[in-house]
Amino acid sequence: MGVFSFDDEFTANVAPARLFKAFVLDADNLFPKIAPQAAKSAETVEGNGGPGTVKKLTFPDGKYVKQKLDAVDLDNLSYSHSLIEGDVLSAELEKISHQTKFVASPDGGAIIKVNTKFYTIGDAPINEEKAKEGKEKAVGLFKLVEGYLVANPDAYN
């Protein structure tokens, strides 16, 4: 198995705690509401919402992904999850894991730090174009949540 790791960082004009509550703790409800073009539904298929929970996210085109919650740290505004099944994985990928941390920026907003690891089967290389596409979709979703929070200043306080 090969492991390819990438670090990304981007900013938001919303406090980290609000962004964490919306993007992590209430994602199942919020994403289909504000981004129906990106998420049709989210359902828990195993677990109680804590580490080990498996959720199935269904996209508008009928494709899906199952993700397993690996850890949530409410005090440090961080979480990790792994994409373990579905259309985002190819025959060469066993799983994709993300570790995400929300930290305060000097201007009152947030810095989102993401480490992504691609676990390949054997010595298979990763498809860098698909990896880039996945990153762009994730950043787009963060920006949609940020826009929602800016437009709704009383939400997720």
Side-chain angles (χ1 to χ4, degrees):
M1 171 179 15
V3 180
F4 299 88
S5 181
F6 300 94
D7 290 310
D8 291 301
E9 188 174 289
F10 51 97
T11 60
N13 293 319
V14 176
R18 286 185 68 213
L19 199 55
F20 182 81
K21 286 177 189 174
F23 195 85
V24 177
L25 301 180
D26 197 39
D28 293 355
N29 297 314
L30 186 61
F31 290 176
K33 177 179 163 183
I34 67 167
Q37 73 282 8
K40 180 179 175 184
S41 66
E43 64 181 292
T44 299
V45 294
E46 181 180 317
N48 62 2
T53 296
V54 176
K55 294 185 178 187
K56 180 180 179 182
L57 306 170
T58 304
F59 306 109
D61 63 2
K63 294 181 179 179
Y64 79 97
V65 64
K66 284 187 181 175
Q67 64 180 22
K68 180 179 180 182
L69 181 61
D70 298 316
V72 176
D73 185 338
L74 300 173
D75 294 329
N76 292 304
L77 304 178
S78 65
Y79 80 108
S80 59
H81 71 278
S82 297
L83 306 178
I84 58 171
E85 181 182 312
D87 298 298
V88 299
L89 299 177
S90 63
E92 297 84 25
L93 279 175
E94 179 181 324
K95 69 178 180 177
I96 302 169
S97 294
H98 300 279
Q99 292 179 318
T100 306
K101 182 167 179 66
F102 299 79
V103 297
S105 65
D107 63 3
I111 300 168
I112 300 97
K113 298 179 179 191
V114 182
N115 173 265
T116 303
K117 289 186 176 139
F118 294 85
Y119 294 84
T120 62
I121 297 169
D123 293 333
I126 63 163
N127 181 325
E128 291 196 29
E129 191 59 38
K130 279 194 157 198
K132 181 180 174 186
E133 181 182 306
K135 174 188 168 185
E136 289 171 357
K137 286 181 180 181
V139 170
L141 198 49
F142 272 110
K143 290 301 178 182
L144 283 172
V145 172
E146 175 188 23
Y148 175 82
L149 294 174
V150 167
N152 296 278
D154 294 330
Y156 299 98
N157 285 314

